[in-house]
Amino acid sequence: MRVVISIGGSVLAPDLDARRVEGHASVVETLAREGCEIGAVVGGGGVARDYISAARDLGANEVQLDQIGIDVTRINARLLIAALGSQVDPKVPHDYEDAGDAIRRGDISVMGGIMPGQTTDAVAAALAEYVDADLLVYATSVDGVFSADPNEDPDATKFEEMTASELVDVIGDIEMNAGSSAPVDLLAAKLIKRAKMRTIVLDGTDPERIEPAVLRGEHTGTDIIPEGGDEPTYWAQ
């Protein structure tokens, strides 16, 4: 089973806590022992936002701000690499080919951002499509996809299951509301739809929630199921 796991920066490193990073590394190692081929994509989180805010005040343009954010995601990726030991590719890939080569030869590959204008949400979806992954998992700070931003709307309802087309519609509506944020961005949702990629969005603040989701399809988040897709038979356990 080939899996791409997107770990939000605010999930992996809301602050510099080695034990939190070790927790995520432990889950990735467990999945690898179960026979999963793994690519991980790490976000920038609050640290990236702090750097971007400071650089904006200094007059940096939007491309320069994106480049700063990418640099922070790659630093976060190095944190996870440091915790994974010998079974991980020690390099942070700067493109999908390098990440794909590492995954296909049996290494765990950990990457951050790729290019300005593209979030790590979209990078994870594109990597999953590039390596023909069986499953894409978004470990976020909310437990699934909601009808609205649950931080802004107390009446937001969670979807237990939805199609990729429904995901695109919901994310598009959320992103149109100023101040609201979605668990994945619209470009990522469109890539998931294009690739017909089975996807799980879950609360990854406790990394142990990722393991049963990948191994047995057990979680409390949201399943995004390709149109016409059947219940998968490829769970690792």
Side-chain angles (χ1 to χ4, degrees), residues 34-114:
E34 291 287 343
C36 296
E37 298 177 341
I38 302 173
V41 180
V42 179
V47 174
R49 288 189 289 273
D50 289 344
Y51 272 95
I52 288 169
S53 177
R56 181 176 284 114
D57 291 343
L58 294 169
N61 62 42
E62 292 303 313
V63 172
Q64 290 171 322
L65 297 178
D66 282 350
Q67 290 170 328
I68 289 169
I70 290 168
D71 287 342
V72 176
T73 66
R74 291 173 176 171
I75 291 171
N76 285 344
R78 289 194 180 279
L79 278 177
L80 186 56
I81 286 170
L84 283 168
S86 60
Q87 56 192 326
V88 67
D89 183 348
K91 302 184 300 297
V92 177
H94 288 194
D95 58 49
Y96 300 111
E97 288 186 1
D98 286 347
D101 287 346
I103 293 168
R104 292 185 182 100
R105 68 172 177 260
D107 288 341
I108 299 165
S109 181
V110 184
M111 64 193 306
I114 294 291

Side-chain angles (χ1 to χ4, degrees), residues 1 9 48 70 87 98 100 104 119 122 131 202 226 233:
M1 183 178 179
I70 290 168
Q87 56 192 326
D98 286 347
R104 292 185 182 100
T119 68
V131 300
L202 52 75
T233 57

Side-chain angles (χ1 to χ4, degrees), residues 8-236:
S10 58
V11 170
L12 180 72
D15 47 43
L16 288 179
D17 183 349
R19 287 171 296 180
R20 181 184 296 272
V21 177
E22 287 174 346
H24 283 277
S26 176
V27 168
V28 170
E29 289 170 339
T30 297
L31 297 178
R33 285 195 298 271
E34 291 287 343
C36 296
E37 298 177 341
I38 302 173
V41 180
V42 179
V47 174
R49 288 189 289 273
D50 289 344
Y51 272 95
I52 288 169
S53 177
R56 181 176 284 114
D57 291 343
L58 294 169
N61 62 42
E62 292 303 313
V63 172
Q64 290 171 322
L65 297 178
D66 282 350
Q67 290 170 328
I68 289 169
I70 290 168
D71 287 342
V72 176
T73 66
R74 291 173 176 171
I75 291 171
N76 285 344
R78 289 194 180 279
L79 278 177
L80 186 56
I81 286 170
L84 283 168
S86 60
Q87 56 192 326
V88 67
D89 183 348
K91 302 184 300 297
V92 177
H94 288 194
D95 58 49
Y96 300 111
E97 288 186 1
D98 286 347
D101 287 346
I103 293 168
R104 292 185 182 100
R105 68 172 177 260
D107 288 341
I108 299 165
S109 181
V110 184
M111 64 193 306
I114 294 291
M115 66 182 69
Q118 188 180 61
T119 68
T120 51
D121 289 349
V123 171
L127 177 62
E129 182 176 20
Y130 181 75
V131 300
D132 295 320
D134 298 298
L135 181 66
L136 170 61
V137 177
Y138 284 98
T140 74
S141 57
V142 294
D143 194 22
V145 180
F146 288 74
S147 59
D149 183 349
N151 296 315
E152 299 287 332
D153 184 353
D155 295 324
T157 57
K158 186 173 73 175
F159 298 94
E160 293 185 2
E161 185 177 293
M162 64 196 314
T163 67
S165 294
E166 290 169 337
L167 176 68
V168 170
D169 291 341
V170 169
I171 299 302
D173 288 343
I174 293 174
E175 290 195 350
M176 287 177 64
N177 296 321
S180 296
S181 60
V184 300
D185 69 16
L186 186 57
L187 176 56
K190 290 180 177 179
L191 290 172
I192 290 167
K193 178 181 178 181
R194 180 182 74 179
K196 298 180 174 61
M197 179 62 58
R198 188 174 186 94
T199 305
I200 296 171
V201 180
L202 52 75
D203 182 350
T205 52
D206 180 354
E208 292 186 0
R209 296 190 183 105
I210 299 170
E211 183 181 327
V214 173
L215 295 183
R216 299 179 296 278
E218 298 172 356
H219 61 89
T220 59
T222 301
D223 278 311
I224 294 99
I225 301 174
E227 279 83 350
D230 298 320
E231 182 66 22
T233 57
Y234 49 69
W235 300 119

